[in-house]
Amino acid sequence: MRGVIMHAPGDVRVEQRPDPVIEEPTDAVIRVTASCICGSDLWPYRGAEPADNIPMGHKYVGVVEQIGAAIEDIQVGDYVVGSFVASDNTCEICQAGFQSRCQHQVMMGAIGTQAEKARIPLADGTLVKVPGVPTDAQAKSLLAASDVLGTGWFAAVAAAAGPEKTVAVVGDGAVGLLGILAAKRLGADRVIAFSRHADRQALARKFGADEIIEERGEAGIARIKELTNGYGAHSTIEAVGTQESMLQAIGSTRPGGHVGYVGVSHGVNLDGLDLFFATVNLLGGPAPVRRFLPELIDLIMTDQIDPGLVFDLELPLEEAAKGYQAMDERRATKVLLTI
Amino acid sequence: MRGVIMHAPGDVRVEQRPDPVIEEPTDAVIRVTASCICGSDLWPYRGAEPADNIPMGHKYVGVVEQIGAAIEDIQVGDYVVGSFVASDNTCEICQAGFQSRCQHQVMMGAIGTQAEKARIPLADGTLVKVPGVPTDAQAKSLLAASDVLGTGWFAAVAAAAGPEKTVAVVGDGAVGLLGILAAKRLGADRVIAFSRHADRQALARKFGADEIIEERGEAGIARIKELTNGYGAHSTIEAVGTQESMLQAIGSTRPGGHVGYVGVSHGVNLDGLDLFFATVNLLGGPAPVRRFLPELIDLIMTDQIDPGLVFDLELPLEEAAKGYQAMDERRATKVLLTI
């Protein structure tokens, strides 16, 4: 099969790779119908993480082609969505809704789903069947659910977004934008997005942002306070992962408020005393997308949400390198790879 | 009046100080009937914080002697308990239960309650009247409620201690010990305390600890995991404030679990990526004791809890220096000053 390999930072190629096979009785193999390039794929692309001949991709929708002997809930031919972490969905951590930290978790990034096929470990726990046949727009949205929507949704839930809450959103990439959508769906009274890119501001408003702040850092924090009688936001979504964005998120939040952070941390270091006196609830990490998939699939298949709008560039798998380049240069927010 | 002044690290004296007066119409002046020495008072005593001629003490119970013109809820002669942060109890932060970060907060440490009298700012919001006349034992417990019990209680609530939860407690000082009491009262299924001091272990068990772990750091974390099928605690109370204790608390907690941290941070630095993959809820800071006071006063005055047991040394105010020394040398867990 064909699949994306990153040979070195900036060097992405589509190459022939061995077809995946059932390795464990709990595996399935799917034919990937769409995958995408994630903001986190840019870290190795930019040299901020090792990139030495690694298969890429951890988001996917597709159709089940083979199942292992122990599979009970998934059938060959099912159209399925899964998360970027394979999980058994039965351990105490999964049962508590933290499938991204399942006791038997397998990171899909190690498998690489920017490819024609993919082996899905723990398939019964990981994959969720889509009812009916999705339209093209729905298929895009399902792919978004597989990761960026699920991640934005988790961030909003972790930030305790809901009725009577003012929600601030740090980060205007796909996750931040879909965090806006999530916060609004969860009933947030008012969503304030930080963004200085006109196209992203437009999408932020489309997803429900009530106000946009262009300032960053201390100036951004001062602006949020101005807009909230000096208190700060009740709930803040952090969707970048840098020191600046974390401090901006924590500083934007009132004491007793909640910060949901989902940007993979790069160089973040939190001073204990500052955190102590911030007195905010902090919850973040790899999003347990699996927790939200049934609900998100339902919202998508009934056309209540359209998160697929975050994809602003669509390329065939063979042109993956162009997609990486476009995202790296911020010419695209999110690239869909059709397979 | 007489009051404690710390002249320099290790140099505590009881001296004549000016009697407090009503400065603002929202003030009250109380006759302090008991105060105590806090674990946090040891930081300046040991030179870890500035100690240059500062009045000491931020816990108190007492009787109202004077009230300002704007006071409505408190009367002269009332027996009252307050927290270490004066708060208006009306701003949005207070109303959300975070009175320790009130928009108009005044830290009582700046006033110094190890003294015969104390001015209490924002007295209507800060002070809670005790119904009836407390016994000696109840008076001790009310003093504990003023800070260490309220702080332990907040830690347990922040750690989401409750039914079906296994709660780990890092720190066997007064706050940690009362965190055990709080976790049990909140319905925790199982409380595991870290302690290597026989006397504190005994008190931990008295307050409801089911198991004691003597190991610390990585070994302590490994032991908690052993005791919880590899998962870690659902809820962890951190009541020390060092790098080691924070990492031990976070490491002891399962993904999706909660860490309530109330040890004032000294030299704590959290790596963002470690925190990201820990995927725990983190909430801490100066405890909003005021939130819990009505409930705690009721539990104490109906003899349902006896947190005053943490006081293992009682001295008259004039001998405060001996009390500091005893706590510094760990000969006493908690010193009560009678006034």
Side-chain angles (χ1 to χ4, degrees):
Chain A
M1 68 166 187
R2 306 287 288 169
V4 173
I5 299 283
M6 190 178 293
H7 283 262
D11 182 3
V12 167
R13 304 181 207 166
V14 179
E15 297 181 348
Q16 202 61 29
R17 288 172 50 196
D19 273 10
V21 295
I22 300 287
E23 295 176 11
E24 303 285 337
T26 47
D27 285 350
V29 168
I30 65 166
R31 177 168 55 80
V32 179
T33 54
S35 184
C36 61
I37 303 171
C38 178
S40 69
D41 293 337
L42 295 182
W43 294 107
Y45 189 81
R46 291 170 174 166
E49 278 179 13
D52 174 18
N53 227 20
I54 47 175
M56 297 300 294
H58 48 270
K59 308 174 191 191
Y60 52 98
V61 295
V63 177
V64 178
E65 278 203 343
Q66 300 173 53
I67 55 174
I71 295 296
E72 291 182 351
D73 300 331
I74 296 291
Q75 296 185 325
V76 169
D78 285 352
Y79 190 99
V80 290
V81 185
S83 127
F84 58 95
V85 182
S87 54
D88 61 25
N89 214 26
T90 57
C91 76
E92 288 188 24
I93 307 300
C94 284
Q95 287 295 301
F98 282 82
Q99 290 93 339
S100 52
R101 293 297 318 283
C102 169
Q103 268 207 323
H104 302 110
Q105 69 177 57
V106 181
M107 298 305 286
M108 292 301 299
I111 287 174
T113 62
Q114 290 165 6
E116 288 176 306
K117 296 184 183 192
R119 180 177 72 87
I120 311 293
L122 305 166
D124 265 345
T126 304
L127 298 174
V128 181
K129 183 183 171 177
V130 175
V133 179
T135 63
D136 280 358
Q138 288 170 340
K140 272 192 195 185
S141 289
L142 291 170
L143 181 63
S146 167
D147 183 353
V148 278
L149 173 61
T151 296
W153 202 275
F154 170 62
V157 168
E164 295 177 40
K165 299 282 186 77
T166 294
V167 180
V169 182
V170 179
D172 61 359
V175 172
L177 291 168
L178 292 173
I180 296 168
L181 179 153
K184 272 290 170 185
R185 288 296 310 186
L186 291 163
D189 197 37
R190 185 180 178 200
V191 176
I192 305 173
F194 289 98
S195 175
R196 43 178 63 181
H197 301 90
D199 52 340
R200 295 177 185 211
Q201 290 179 359
L203 207 45
R205 289 201 184 271
K206 193 168 182 100
F207 285 144
D210 300 290
E211 283 144 287
I212 307 273
I213 296 181
E214 299 213 342
E215 292 89 342
R216 288 185 190 175
E218 288 302 323
I221 292 170
R223 192 82 190 90
I224 277 275
K225 294 223 167 135
E226 256 176 61
L227 292 172
T228 54
N229 295 322
Y231 289 117
H234 299 92
S235 302
T236 304
I237 292 172
E238 191 287 332
V240 183
T242 61
Q243 181 74 0
E244 293 67 31
S245 63
M246 270 303 268
L247 296 186
Q248 185 173 327
I250 292 168
S252 296
T253 311
R254 64 179 62 195
H258 291 73
V259 176
Y261 64 101
V262 292
V264 181
S265 297
H266 283 78
V268 174
N269 232 291
L270 299 178
D271 178 78
L273 199 61
D274 290 346
L275 201 58
F276 187 85
F277 285 106
T279 324
V280 296
N281 295 270
L282 213 57
L283 172 61
V289 173
R290 177 65 183 81
R291 188 204 310 179
F292 307 108
L293 274 180
E295 182 183 357
L296 300 181
I297 290 172
D298 181 59
L299 288 170
I300 290 165
M301 294 304 287
T302 53
D303 291 324
Q304 294 184 65
I305 57 174
D306 195 1
L309 289 174
V310 292
F311 295 109
D312 50 0
L313 180 59
E314 198 172 321
L315 294 168
L317 177 66
E318 289 297 327
E319 295 178 29
K322 278 191 197 166
Y324 276 81
Q325 213 175 349
M327 276 184 64
D328 179 43
E329 294 166 5
R330 296 182 77 94
R331 283 182 286 111
T333 304
K334 195 81 195 161
V335 177
L336 179 93
L337 299 174
T338 53
I339 301 166
Chain B
M1 69 166 187
R2 306 288 288 168
V4 173
I5 298 283
M6 190 178 294
H7 283 263
D11 181 4
V12 167
R13 304 181 207 167
V14 178
E15 297 179 348
Q16 203 61 28
R17 289 174 49 197
D19 273 11
V21 294
I22 301 287
E23 296 175 12
E24 302 285 338
T26 47
D27 285 350
V29 169
I30 65 167
R31 177 168 55 81
V32 180
T33 55
S35 184
C36 61
I37 303 172
C38 178
S40 69
D41 293 336
L42 295 182
W43 293 108
Y45 189 81
R46 291 170 173 165
E49 278 179 14
D52 174 18
N53 228 20
I54 48 174
M56 296 299 295
H58 49 270
K59 307 172 191 194
Y60 53 97
V61 295
V63 177
V64 178
E65 278 202 343
Q66 299 173 53
I67 55 174
I71 295 296
E72 291 183 351
D73 300 331
I74 296 292
Q75 297 186 322
V76 170
D78 284 352
Y79 189 99
V80 290
V81 185
S83 126
F84 58 97
V85 182
S87 54
D88 62 25
N89 214 28
T90 57
C91 75
E92 287 188 26
I93 307 299
C94 284
Q95 287 296 300
F98 282 81
Q99 291 91 340
S100 52
R101 293 295 319 283
C102 168
Q103 267 206 323
H104 302 109
Q105 69 176 59
V106 180
M107 298 305 288
M108 291 302 298
I111 288 175
T113 62
Q114 292 165 5
E116 289 175 306
K117 298 184 180 189
R119 182 177 71 87
I120 311 293
L122 305 167
D124 265 345
T126 304
L127 298 174
V128 181
K129 182 183 172 178
V130 175
V133 179
T135 64
D136 280 358
Q138 287 170 341
K140 272 191 196 185
S141 288
L142 291 171
L143 181 62
S146 166
D147 183 354
V148 278
L149 173 60
T151 297
W153 201 276
F154 170 61
V157 169
E164 296 177 38
K165 298 284 186 76
T166 293
V167 181
V169 182
V170 179
D172 61 0
V175 172
L177 291 168
L178 292 173
I180 295 169
L181 179 153
K184 272 291 170 185
R185 288 295 310 187
L186 291 164
D189 197 38
R190 187 179 177 199
V191 176
I192 304 174
F194 289 98
S195 175
R196 42 178 65 183
H197 300 91
D199 52 339
R200 294 176 184 213
Q201 290 180 0
L203 207 45
R205 287 201 185 272
K206 194 167 182 99
F207 285 143
D210 299 289
E211 283 144 286
I212 306 274
I213 295 181
E214 299 213 343
E215 292 89 340
R216 289 183 189 175
E218 287 301 323
I221 293 170
R223 191 84 190 90
I224 277 275
K225 294 225 167 133
E226 255 176 62
L227 292 171
T228 54
N229 296 322
Y231 289 116
H234 298 91
S235 302
T236 303
I237 291 172
E238 191 285 333
V240 184
T242 62
Q243 181 74 1
E244 294 68 30
S245 63
M246 270 303 268
L247 295 186
Q248 184 173 327
I250 293 169
S252 296
T253 310
R254 66 179 60 194
H258 291 73
V259 177
Y261 65 101
V262 291
V264 181
S265 298
H266 283 76
V268 173
N269 231 292
L270 300 178
D271 178 79
L273 199 60
D274 290 346
L275 202 59
F276 187 85
F277 284 106
T279 324
V280 296
N281 296 269
L282 213 58
L283 173 61
V289 173
R290 178 65 184 78
R291 187 203 311 179
F292 307 108
L293 275 180
E295 182 183 358
L296 299 181
I297 290 172
D298 181 60
L299 288 171
I300 290 165
M301 294 304 287
T302 53
D303 291 325
Q304 294 184 65
I305 57 173
D306 195 1
L309 289 174
V310 292
F311 294 109
D312 51 0
L313 180 59
E314 198 171 320
L315 293 169
L317 176 66
E318 289 298 327
E319 295 178 30
K322 277 190 195 166
Y324 275 81
Q325 212 174 350
M327 275 184 65
D328 179 43
E329 294 166 4
R330 295 183 78 94
R331 283 182 287 110
T333 303
K334 195 81 196 161
V335 177
L336 180 93
L337 299 174
T338 54
I339 300 166

